[in-house]
Amino acid sequence: KSKNTGAKAEGSTKPIKHNAVTFKLFDDLKLDAPITTDDIPGLLEKLEEQLESYKVKVKKWEEKREEMKRKILEDGILPDEEEKEAEEKKDEAEEEKKEEAEEEKEEE
């Protein structure tokens, strides 16, 4: 005998019990946890949309990764590191100017 009858499955909405961990998982995904079994199909659609957006992000990252590998092999430095070094030099120059200005004020 089957416990699941056709009429019963169509009209029933069973509540879903969650614990704190499952609520946290859904919160991390920025989704509302399904309260009944009727909520699941809509939730699955949202998850599929998120999956597609993540696949696009991964594809972009993979393209950048190949470019970064090439730059590292050619130049021996990451593009991000170049920017950081430029910013550090700029910050150092600004600090030196401030120190010089303070020294001039003290001399006066």
Side-chain angles (χ1 to χ4, degrees), residues 25-31 44-63:
L25 289 172
F26 282 103
D27 187 51
D28 290 345
L29 293 169
K30 296 178 178 74
L31 295 171
L44 286 174
E45 288 177 18
K46 290 178 182 177
L47 281 170
E48 290 292 331
E49 290 171 10
Q50 281 189 0
L51 178 63
E52 290 303 315
S53 71
Y54 285 121
K55 283 181 180 178
V56 169
K57 288 179 182 180
V58 166
K59 190 172 185 174
K60 286 180 184 177
W61 175 82
E62 286 174 343
E63 291 170 2

Side-chain angles (χ1 to χ4, degrees), residues 87-103:
E87 286 178 20
E88 287 175 3
K89 288 179 183 176
K90 184 179 176 182
D91 290 343
E92 287 175 9
E94 288 176 5
E95 286 179 24
E96 287 178 15
K97 287 180 184 177
K98 287 179 184 176
E99 288 175 4
E100 289 175 6
E102 288 175 5
E103 288 175 5

